[in-house]
Amino acid sequence: MKRIFENFISVAAFSAAFFLASCHSAYEVTKIEGGRVAIDSTWDAQPDAEMEAMLAPYKAKVDSIMYRVVGTAAVSMDKSRPESLLSNLIADVLREAAGQVQGGPADMGLVNVGGIRNVLTEGPITCDNIYEILPFENALCVLTLKGTDLKLLFENIAARGGEGVSGVKMEITKDGKLLKATVGGQPVEDDKRYTVATIDYLADGNDGMTALPQAEKRICPEGATLRSLFMQYVERQAAAGKKVTSRMEGRIVVK
């Protein structure tokens, strides 16, 4: 019985080897190239009339939603480091949104400049504009950090050359070192607890924010995306007869 089993194994192994050898292609991949194809007006030279007709009712519905005016920008706002009008505004929106979790603003708001993908131009603001500025499904997270971890967070921000912050002021060097930081105008106390309103992407420690995963408490309310929070803010301003604006306040200064 043992010999029969051994013979069976030998035949099976030989058959497998023969099969693999017989399936080997005479062709081998020697080079792979890739590139980007711009989806622009070039492709409109000869439009497919049948396809356009099929998509027309869907396009009309999407356009009616995306091009709806939800507010007005008083000035054009862009992103930059160490501080900018648009990053200041979005960080403010995040800090105020902490009220959904704790009944009032967080001690600090934080957004990564890299997550802001377009300019908010002066004039009417549409849903489409907001989707272009904030295209990702980033969710609000309110974190509770010890003072020692908050100091580390300031060092993380300094190393990045600045990010969008609210409720704090920082002084950093050109080479990314932290010189000074205050929260609400006061120095950070090591044993005190502070709340930081940010997005889940940063709360997970991305973009060098190594301090945030050390939070003692983390609450991310369901459905509270940064984009929806910003949209609601713009709509509230419009309902109050106000234009959306922002100011440079020396929140992060390079010494």
Side-chain angles (χ1 to χ4, degrees):
M1 183 68 180
K2 180 179 179 181
R3 183 175 295 278
I4 293 173
F5 180 74
E6 290 175 347
N7 289 340
F8 174 76
I9 294 296
S10 298
V11 171
F14 175 79
S15 299
F18 178 79
F19 176 77
L20 291 173
S22 64
C23 290
H24 182 69
S25 174
Y27 299 96
E28 293 183 358
V29 177
T30 60
K31 186 179 182 181
I32 298 177
E33 294 182 337
R36 295 184 178 182
V37 177
I39 306 301
D40 54 25
S41 58
T42 303
W43 300 93
D44 295 334
Q46 294 180 327
D48 187 318
E50 184 178 352
M51 183 61 69
E52 283 190 329
M54 183 182 74
L55 293 176
Y58 303 101
K59 183 178 184 301
K61 186 173 182 179
V62 171
D63 287 352
S64 68
I65 297 171
M66 297 304 291
Y67 295 121
R68 178 173 63 92
V69 175
V70 292
T72 306
V75 295
S76 291
M77 299 174 231
D78 204 348
K79 63 171 186 177
S80 65
R81 291 186 172 91
E83 179 184 1
S84 67
L85 290 175
L86 190 53
S87 61
N88 280 0
L89 174 62
I90 295 173
D92 286 344
V93 170
L94 276 171
R95 187 163 73 94
E96 291 295 326
Q100 296 185 18
V101 172
Q102 58 184 28
D107 295 308
M108 175 181 177
L110 171 65
V111 66
N112 56 322
V113 171
I116 304 171
R117 293 306 179 97
N118 211 337
V119 178
L120 181 61
T121 55
E122 180 181 357
I125 304 171
T126 64
C127 292
D128 181 62
N129 296 149
I130 295 174
Y131 269 79
E132 289 177 342
I133 294 166
L134 301 169
F136 306 113
E137 297 298 313
N138 295 135
L140 167 69
C141 283
V142 180
L143 311 177
T144 302
L145 274 68
K146 292 188 298 186
T148 50
D149 291 328
L150 187 63
K151 288 180 178 180
L152 176 57
L153 177 60
F154 287 140
E155 292 176 1
N156 293 160
I157 296 169
R160 299 276 296 174
E163 296 286 10
V165 298
S166 175
V168 305
K169 289 196 173 182
M170 301 172 55
E171 293 181 5
I172 65 176
T173 64
K174 292 180 180 179
D175 59 348
K177 299 294 189 300
L178 178 66
L179 297 175
K180 181 181 178 182
T182 58
V183 180
Q186 300 299 317
V188 178
E189 299 177 30
D190 289 350
D191 296 328
K192 188 176 178 180
R193 269 56 179 174
Y194 297 87
T195 53
V196 178
T198 186
I199 55 175
D200 53 355
Y201 176 76
L202 297 183
D204 290 338
N206 294 300
D207 275 4
M209 300 296 120
T210 58
L212 295 182
Q214 301 180 42
E216 293 184 341
K217 188 177 180 181
R218 166 175 168 157
I219 302 177
C220 305
E222 187 176 352
T225 65
L226 174 55
R227 183 174 56 242
S228 66
L229 293 171
F230 190 73
M231 184 91 69
Q232 292 162 16
Y233 168 78
V234 172
E235 290 175 332
R236 286 197 303 271
Q237 293 296 101
K242 300 178 181 178
K243 294 183 178 181
V244 174
T245 191
S246 183
R247 295 183 301 175
M248 298 292 287
E249 300 177 326
R251 298 182 185 185
I252 303 181
V253 178
V254 178
K255 294 288 187 176

